[in-house]
Amino acid sequence: MKAGPSQEEIRRHNLGTLLRHVHIGGSMSRAVLAERMGLNRSTILGLVSELGSVGLVREELPRETGRAGRPSLVVRPESERVYVLAFDVGVDRLATARIGLGGVFLDHRRIPVHPDDRSAGKVAKVLADSALDMVSNARRGTYCVGIAAAVRGMVRRPDGLVRAAPYLGWEDEEFGEDLMHRLSLGLPVSVGNEASLGALAEHLRGAGAGCQDLVYLHGDIGIGGGVITSGQLLGGDGGYGGEIGHMIVNPRDGRLCGCGARGCLEAEAGERALLEAAQRDPSATGREAVRAVVEAADRGDITARAALHHVGDWLGIGVATLVNVLNPRTVIFGGTLREVFLGSAAQIRSRINRLALAASRENLRLRVGELGDDAVLIGAAEHAFSEILVGPLETLARAGA
């Protein structure tokens, strides 16, 4: 007969669960925590006291109650006691952040990247220098408990090897290991796909909060995707799940994709397809170029409108296929696809209504991302926080606190 969990294991689980509630949900009373966790108030008091004694949470009066009488104390995360380092490796810019419990940005920097400086080694050096400067400016008595980086490419699980990042020119790069050695903080660096981490961020803190089944589409120079199913990020056998941009939507007459196939969603509805259809300068790429097309369409530019409608048709075909296969409750458009969706929603909805099964789309919601350009960075931070949200006291001890 298999023994059940020990009291110590239960306590450890409850400490992590309580910390996760206030990390994601923000300030809440002990009564609310007791209800959500299914525990009595005296147990919650003990857990709050233990986490408070090591500086991970604190109790205070709520800032605004709107009620008469003495308000109840609320438990909130100590945002500056522990933090993580998060990195976003884009094609034309890098981003670094020091983010505290509760998702609070403590330091945040964006760094433009020249095409000649996209090698994995150069990127790792720039990110490490930026992060170490942020760490040196952190308040004394604070601790880094996790590090994660998001890369626009295929990342192998569990070792974080970047198998292919075509727009960066990377192949089989041990980027996480290189970055870890340059940082020398005694912590491993987790590496993940940017769209998968963007999906995680929107699921926890953005347009998909509370939704257990969603698809996230991220537009950059290409199209990435992330899938949340039953509340969990879909990874696949090797960690390559969610490569939605390489779903074939136009096999007969499709455009050539960077992956070597023809008719991928990325090739038909990505940045290059939009700019070409809008008859824009092919050298004028990037987020601002996409937004310029959307703004021109808003002003009545016929060519720009036609380009958005054309791309919207292909996006709608892709989303309809995803709806039939995955049956998500919500589809979220992030990155540059946020603006593209707003300019081509009618075409996208029309294709979904024609091509998706009625039962699969009857409760479907189409949303734009709420986290803006920081979605991927926030997702990397949430990934980095995962260890302390499982074992708070053990993680603090390893950090030297």
Side-chain angles (χ1 to χ4, degrees):
M1 183 175 178
K2 186 177 179 180
S6 66
Q7 288 299 312
E8 178 58 29
E9 289 171 331
I10 293 172
R11 168 182 156 276
R12 181 175 182 268
H13 169 77
N14 286 339
L15 285 168
T17 301
L18 191 150
L19 187 61
R20 181 177 180 81
H21 274 298
V22 296
H23 169 66
I24 298 297
S27 302
M28 58 187 72
S29 68
R30 281 189 237 146
V32 171
L33 285 166
E35 180 181 356
R36 293 188 179 184
M37 294 177 64
L39 301 173
N40 61 52
R41 295 195 185 191
S42 62
T43 300
I44 293 294
L45 174 60
L47 296 171
V48 170
S49 298
E50 194 162 2
L51 291 173
S53 69
V54 294
L56 291 178
V57 302
R58 74 170 182 267
E59 287 192 283
E60 63 182 16
L61 289 172
R63 293 185 173 91
E64 295 180 7
T65 65
R67 297 180 181 178
R70 181 178 176 82
S72 300
L73 295 174
V74 294
V75 182
R76 62 164 295 168
E78 282 281 17
S79 297
E80 293 198 17
R81 168 67 166 165
V82 298
Y83 62 86
V84 298
L85 295 174
F87 305 103
D88 179 13
V89 180
V91 176
D92 56 358
R93 53 101 181 97
L94 308 174
T96 64
R98 189 169 65 88
I99 300 179
L101 271 176
V104 176
F105 277 74
L106 304 172
D107 202 342
H108 185 194
R109 304 177 188 185
R110 296 190 185 278
I111 308 162
V113 178
H114 189 273
D116 294 336
D117 296 326
R118 290 177 185 160
S119 71
K122 288 182 178 180
V123 168
K125 182 181 186 308
V126 170
L127 292 179
D129 289 346
S130 176
L132 290 174
D133 185 55
M134 290 193 293
V135 170
S136 69
N137 291 328
R139 182 168 57 85
R140 187 173 181 179
T142 61
Y143 300 89
C144 181
V145 295
I147 309 170
V151 175
R152 280 144 185 78
M154 300 181 70
V155 181
R156 186 172 70 189
R157 187 180 60 186
D159 62 358
L161 179 74
V162 181
R163 293 296 306 276
Y167 294 114
L168 293 169
W170 298 5
E171 185 173 347
D172 291 333
E173 292 285 355
E174 294 182 341
F175 176 68
E177 189 170 334
D178 185 7
L179 186 53
M180 177 185 70
H181 290 313
R182 292 176 187 275
L183 289 168
S184 298
L185 295 175
L187 292 168
V189 176
S190 297
V191 182
N193 169 266
E194 100 286 356
S196 291
L197 294 176
L200 181 64
E202 291 288 353
H203 166 60
L204 294 175
R205 299 189 177 276
C211 178
Q212 300 302 297
D213 294 275
L214 66 84
V215 171
Y216 173 74
L217 292 170
H218 185 85
D220 206 319
I221 190 169
I223 293 178
V227 179
I228 301 289
T229 178
S230 299
Q232 300 297 316
L233 185 64
L234 179 67
D237 178 56
Y240 312 128
E243 286 292 335
I244 292 168
H246 298 289
M247 173 175 61
I248 303 297
V249 295
N250 186 15
R252 177 175 295 182
D253 304 311
R255 297 162 55 96
L256 182 64
C257 181
C259 72
R262 284 191 176 273
C264 291
L265 180 63
E266 176 175 302
E268 302 296 340
E271 174 188 297
R272 289 177 176 172
L274 174 67
L275 297 177
E276 182 178 304
Q279 299 178 14
R280 297 296 171 121
D281 180 356
S283 65
T285 59
R287 299 181 182 203
E288 294 310 313
V290 172
R291 287 166 181 162
V293 173
V294 176
E295 290 169 2
D298 288 340
R299 294 193 302 268
D301 185 309
I302 296 175
T303 304
R305 280 186 177 179
L308 279 173
H309 293 175
H310 175 75
V311 165
D313 271 339
W314 289 115
L315 276 175
I317 291 170
V319 171
T321 302
L322 293 169
V323 169
N324 288 339
V325 174
L326 299 171
N327 185 211
R329 181 70 174 86
T330 307
V331 175
I332 301 172
F333 298 85
T336 54
L337 286 184
R338 184 183 190 279
E339 284 80 13
V340 171
F341 172 77
L342 293 174
S344 59
Q347 284 68 34
I348 294 172
R349 292 183 190 278
S350 175
R351 284 291 190 176
I352 293 171
N353 289 336
R354 287 173 55 195
L355 302 176
L357 296 169
S360 298
R361 61 177 162 81
E362 62 184 356
N363 294 316
L364 179 67
R365 300 179 301 188
L366 303 181
R367 298 285 186 268
V368 293
E370 293 180 357
L371 303 178
D373 292 343
D374 290 328
V376 172
L377 202 58
I378 291 169
E382 293 303 329
H383 188 50
F385 272 122
S386 58
E387 190 171 326
I388 197 169
L389 299 180
V390 171
L393 304 186
E394 296 83 356
T395 303
L396 264 184
R398 285 194 292 272

